[in-house]
Amino acid sequence: MMKNYNKSLLALALTSALCLTACGDGKDGVDGVDGADGSDGQNGQNGLNAGDVVTTVYQAGDVKISVDTSGSVLAGDGTFALKFTATAKNQAGVDKPLTGLSQVRIYSATAATNTTADGPAIYWQSNGSLYCTLTGLNGTSNACTLVEDAENPGTYTGSWTYDGAPSIMSASDDLAAPHRIMVRAYNVTDANGNAISDKILETLTYQPSTGTVDVASGKDTVPDAVCQKCHGESAATGKIANISAHGNYESVENCIQCHNPARQPSATQAEEGYVFDMPAMIHRIHGGEHLAALSVYGFKQAEEWAEIGYPAPLNECTVCHSTEEGKTTWNDEPTRAACTGCHSNIDFETGKGHSEFLLAQADDSNCVSCHGASAISPMNAHRVGERKELASLVQINFTGASVNSGTLTVTADVTVNGALSSDLSVLGVKSTLMGNVDSKGEVHRWSSRPALTTGSFSAVGKLVLTRPVTTEEATGTIYVGTEATFCVDQNKKAATCDATADLAYGNPVEVVHGSPVFTTAIGVTATTKFFNLDTTDAADAGTSARFAGTDKITVDVASCEACHNSLDVTKGGGHGVYTFDQCMDCHNNDYAGSYHPNAWYKDADGNQAVKAMTPFKNRDLVTVVHRYHSGNFDTVEGVHTATNSRSGELEVVGYPGVQGDCSACHRDGATLFAADGGLTSGKRSIAVTGGYISPIAESCRSCHTSDAALAHFKSQGATTTDIPDDSAVLPVESCATCHAEGKTYGVDKVHAEVAQ
């Protein structure tokens, strides 16, 4: 090594000497000619243009996941394969590929054909679920391996790298049957790195044998749109809102993945009243407090659901179920499980509770024998829609009104059971509704009105009512209506409301406002009429009340019926009232006092607790409805029972929709504020005990009951209940300056944000 090293040094010295000799005069030599250019290297891969993809999302509903059924094998005994694309909206609201997904979960269910005598003809059979991750592992469990296509961002494939088939696939699966796939994406964030609070879910119903998508399952008798009528539409996902169980599985299509016949309660849970199969569970949940109240008769109700106040009649199946062709299995295929959702007092093993004959049933094979297309099919046994139809059995049609020498004469045609009749003995409540209508469409009820039974008949069915009127009452427009009720016998004919009679809907009697009423009575069909007492022209009805569907009212009866099915739910038996122009007789801004003056709350034990610090002193329709639905509603024994209340933490309990979602009731495009800052309705004051108050502030105070809110109302010039004014002509407070529609803090914007 040393010898070689010395030789290298000698060579280096000789080379240096030669170089010095060549340099001659010490100047640099001329550069040589450049060599030829080498060939171009391979082009690099093009990068993504800014805005071509998104990596974050704004809300769950912005994400769309589309499974490619032609490139996926998710059922049967083939080789598992998954292919899907994911998109999300960018800042401009345009759908772009969503790149960077790291985990999804695939749920699968088959609409299986039932080959037994137990259960419906088609039922959802869960195939379980499967995670897909970048590593092919979910914790220590095997998962499918998720890969994003580098050349097609937002396109993903999943493969199974383990022995055997993944859990969602089975050789015994019927590939010709409809299958429902639900995909859930995980670890998705917004631009600030915050996890998206709502679950990102997408569903697909398809036929594996053909790959055909959007096939009918044969099981979807309740669409999401029906649930949204009460629960509202989620601003984040566009699906069902205000469903708290398990987060936001906000679609009936999602729920069936777990809530199907395979999911049964334990013996202890069943005894406590729990059921988990979807039809039975939804029936039981909506049975709520009604079933709990029937516990003395052997009905079961889970404690968790015992305080739910269903807002429609329980027997009105079509409030939820579709009657469209091909979607009537709920009526055509009765099963023990579905029926005991509500009829939780039945023991089919012994027959206890199943008719007076104690009919035990080992399976469902005989259900259709009695409950098929017969008088006791679900549709007929529950008398679906019957009360609305029977309301026409008694009709009162007001035909005229005139004043002569200080006496008002009102005429009406009375029809009972399809024919003109002078027999009013069928009536339970017999009251008429009468009052004046001013030039603004506001009503002023008369303190005394003749009962229908105090009139006389000029001919068969031609009723004549009279009442002394003052000079002021006998001027301008009056309204005439009824809050009359009647009862129905077993032959579905109008009959006398008799506590001992065999009536179609029973004959329970309760005391309401000090008077006994039949709570199952039906409201008489009677359109509220308007008559101009200043003219003899019968065609001139004068000024219609704003409650009668004018553009000065922002809610219509249809909005209420979307959830309640009919106002008969709360006002039928006691008042016979179905329309706002009947409600207006008591619930107007001119009639002071309130039967429910205080807000109330429930403590941790569910007992009535703290009263509100600011009592209500009016029964104006707007404020009553607001405070009822917001839970700020008092209960009075024998008069009102609130199904909505507030918890000790002041959270609303019982209201099924989204608090603050004005669109649930108010018509699209309707504006609350007029150009002068007052209300579009023209209402400028509300009468209370002791004077008048501001209608805008009182409407807001129906929900916002804190001392801070009250102080804010006063600071904006509002006249409030603690210091009412003695004049009905009040200045308009400055609320509209900030809170009118379109303003920075407009009610439309602020409430929409709260609703999210």
Side-chain angles (χ1 to χ4, degrees):
M1 290 294 293
M2 184 62 70
K3 291 180 179 180
N4 290 337
Y5 180 73
N6 290 333
K7 288 180 180 180
S8 297
L9 290 176
L10 178 60
L12 178 61
L14 290 172
T15 303
S16 299
L18 290 172
C19 288
L20 289 172
T21 303
C23 288
D25 58 3
K27 295 182 179 179
D28 292 339
V30 178
D31 292 339
V33 179
D34 292 339
D37 292 339
S39 59
D40 292 338
Q42 185 177 357
N43 291 333
Q45 186 175 358
N46 291 331
L48 294 172
N49 294 323
D52 280 352
V53 298
V54 291
T55 58
T56 61
V57 304
Y58 292 95
Q59 57 185 12
D62 291 343
V63 180
K64 302 299 179 187
I65 298 175
S66 178
V67 176
D68 180 359
T69 58
S70 64
S72 300
V73 180
L74 306 174
D77 59 356
T79 301
F80 173 87
L82 171 66
K83 184 177 182 180
F84 69 90
T85 58
T87 64
K89 295 187 182 301
N90 63 10
Q91 191 173 13
V94 178
D95 289 323
K96 295 292 183 180
L98 175 61
T99 186
L101 287 182
S102 61
Q103 179 176 319
V104 298
R105 189 178 184 182
I106 312 297
Y107 296 76
S108 172
T110 303
T113 299
N114 192 356
T115 58
T116 73
D118 193 9
I122 298 175
Y123 66 96
W124 285 113
Q125 176 179 284
S126 174
N127 301 318
S129 65
L130 176 68
Y131 284 95
C132 292
T133 68
L134 300 179
T135 62
L137 290 172
N138 178 42
T140 59
S141 300
N142 295 340
C144 103
T145 302
L146 185 67
V147 176
E148 183 174 7
D149 187 339
E151 296 185 2
N152 296 285
T155 298
Y156 299 83
T157 57
S159 59
W160 184 252
T161 61
Y162 304 97
D163 292 337
S167 57
I168 64 172
M169 297 181 67
S170 170
S172 62
D173 198 0
D174 181 4
L175 302 187
H179 282 54
R180 178 155 294 160
I181 298 297
M182 180 174 77
V183 182
R184 179 183 175 186
Y186 292 79
N187 307 326
V188 180
T189 66
D190 62 19
N192 296 319
N194 300 315
I196 299 302
S197 57
D198 295 293
K199 293 182 178 68
I200 296 175
L201 305 167
E202 198 71 70
T203 58
L204 167 73
T205 305
Y206 80 113
Q207 184 177 335
S209 60
T210 63
T212 306
V213 298
D214 297 330
V215 297
S217 71
K219 290 297 296 176
D220 297 318
T221 65
V222 179
D224 289 352
V226 168
C227 305
Q228 289 173 342
K229 289 180 179 180
C230 288
H231 290 283
E233 180 179 331
S234 168
T237 66
K239 298 180 180 178
I240 307 168
N242 208 35
I243 303 250
S244 59
H246 319 303
N248 69 307
Y249 290 100
E250 298 171 333
S251 172
V252 177
E253 294 182 346
N254 298 333
C255 299
I256 59 88
Q257 294 288 350
C258 292
H259 293 286
N260 50 63
R263 192 175 189 87
Q264 294 295 320
S266 66
T268 300
Q269 289 173 324
E271 187 59 33
E272 292 174 345
Y274 286 97
V275 285
F276 300 128
D277 184 24
M278 189 68 178
M281 182 182 69
I282 294 302
H283 288 170
R284 186 71 57 85
I285 290 173
H286 287 154
E289 63 180 10
H290 180 77
L291 296 183
L294 295 174
S295 61
V296 294
Y297 300 107
F299 284 78
K300 297 178 181 179
Q301 179 58 289
E303 183 179 357
E304 183 179 358
W305 305 329
E307 292 189 354
I308 294 174
Y310 185 57
L314 274 176
N315 63 295
E316 295 291 347
C317 308
T318 53
V319 169
C320 296
H321 286 289
S322 170
T323 56
E324 297 174 10
E325 184 178 358
K327 295 184 179 180
T328 58
T329 54
W330 62 271
N331 181 64
D332 304 334
E333 299 177 8
T335 64
R336 293 169 302 156
C339 294
T340 52
C342 285
H343 299 279
S344 57
N345 63 323
I346 296 177
D347 183 342
F348 281 108
E349 288 187 9
T350 64
K352 182 180 178 181
H354 191 208
S355 88
E356 60 186 292
F357 303 107
L358 304 179
L359 299 175
Q361 301 291 306
D363 56 35
D364 295 331
S365 58
N366 288 323
C367 295
V368 73
S369 299
C370 292
H371 299 288
S374 68
I376 53 174
S377 68
M379 177 74 82
N380 293 328
H382 292 117
R383 297 176 169 178
V384 176
E386 185 177 275
R387 285 180 65 90
K388 283 187 177 182
E389 295 176 3
L390 295 181
S392 62
L393 289 177
V394 180
Q395 301 180 41
I396 297 176
N397 178 30
F398 293 102
T399 57
S402 60
V403 174
N404 186 20
S405 301
T407 298
L408 170 71
T409 299
V410 174
T411 57
D413 291 340
V414 177
T415 302
V416 178
N417 293 327
L420 287 172
S421 174
S422 301
D423 183 6
L424 295 177
S425 64
V426 298
L427 297 182
V429 178
K430 308 167 178 64
S431 305
T432 58
L433 309 174
M434 293 184 184
N436 293 102
V437 182
D438 64 24
S439 59
K440 296 184 295 184
E442 300 291 354
V443 298
H444 308 276
R445 74 191 303 268
W446 294 340
S447 59
S448 64
R449 298 74 75 84
L452 291 167
T453 51
T454 63
S456 60
F457 287 88
S458 60
V460 175
K462 302 292 183 179
L463 178 64
V464 179
L465 298 169
T466 59
R467 178 190 183 275
V469 289
T470 65
T471 301
E472 184 179 31
E473 291 172 338
T475 302
T477 304
I478 65 168
Y479 66 90
V480 181
T482 77
E483 58 172 347
T485 65
F486 66 96
C487 291
V488 178
D489 63 21
Q490 294 292 346
N491 295 318
K492 298 183 181 179
K493 296 294 184 181
T496 301
C497 292
D498 185 341
T500 62
D502 185 16
L503 300 175
Y505 299 107
N507 43 23
V509 178
E510 292 185 6
V511 176
V512 178
H513 301 327
S515 301
V517 298
F518 286 76
T519 57
T520 57
I522 296 177
V524 166
T525 297
T527 301
T528 301
K529 295 289 187 67
F530 300 91
F531 299 101
N532 188 354
L533 299 182
D534 293 338
T535 179
T536 58
D537 183 0
D540 183 2
T543 303
S544 179
R546 66 179 180 84
F547 295 87
T550 68
D551 58 1
K552 289 190 174 184
I553 187 168
T554 61
V555 178
D556 53 30
V557 172
S559 300
C560 303
E561 290 183 341
C563 188
H564 291 293
N565 184 58
S566 170
L567 292 183
D568 176 52
V569 172
T570 56
K571 295 298 184 180
H575 289 285
V577 173
Y578 303 100
T579 58
F580 293 156
D581 54 17
Q582 292 175 293
C583 300
M584 71 183 184
D585 184 70
C586 283
H587 297 288
N588 59 68
N589 54 293
D590 185 55
Y591 189 25
S594 176
Y595 283 111
H596 30 78
N598 299 298
W600 66 285
Y601 307 96
K602 287 187 176 180
D603 60 21
D605 297 322
N607 299 314
Q608 184 169 329
V610 183
K611 294 286 185 180
M613 293 152 303
T614 50
F616 301 101
K617 299 179 181 179
N618 73 88
R619 65 188 93 208
D620 177 70
L621 186 60
V622 173
T623 61
V624 166
V625 172
H626 277 175
R627 64 183 185 254
Y628 182 81
H629 287 139
S630 70
N632 293 318
F633 196 88
D634 194 15
T635 55
V636 179
E637 189 66 31
V639 180
H640 294 285
T641 301
T643 54
N644 299 321
S645 63
R646 287 181 178 254
S647 67
E649 293 76 32
L650 303 187
E651 295 176 342
V652 178
V653 178
Y655 182 64
V658 179
Q659 288 291 308
D661 182 10
C662 304
S663 64
C665 298
H666 290 278
R667 297 196 312 267
D668 291 341
T671 57
L672 303 178
F673 289 95
D676 65 354
L679 294 173
T680 299
S681 63
K683 181 167 56 178
R684 294 297 184 263
S685 66
I686 296 177
V688 298
T689 304
Y692 298 88
I693 60 174
S694 303
I696 298 175
E698 187 67 1
S699 296
C700 298
R701 197 175 72 90
S702 300
C703 297
H704 302 283
T705 57
S706 69
D707 287 343
L710 182 62
H712 177 69
F713 302 148
K714 288 183 176 181
S715 71
Q716 303 307 308
T719 303
T720 53
T721 53
D722 52 336
I723 311 177
D725 200 299
D726 58 5
S727 172
V729 183
L730 298 176
V732 176
E733 60 264 59
S734 60
C735 301
T737 303
C738 295
H739 299 301
E741 291 90 349
K743 297 296 182 69
T744 302
Y745 299 103
V747 290
D748 53 337
K749 294 182 179 179
V750 173
H751 285 163
E753 291 173 359
V754 172
Q756 292 182 5

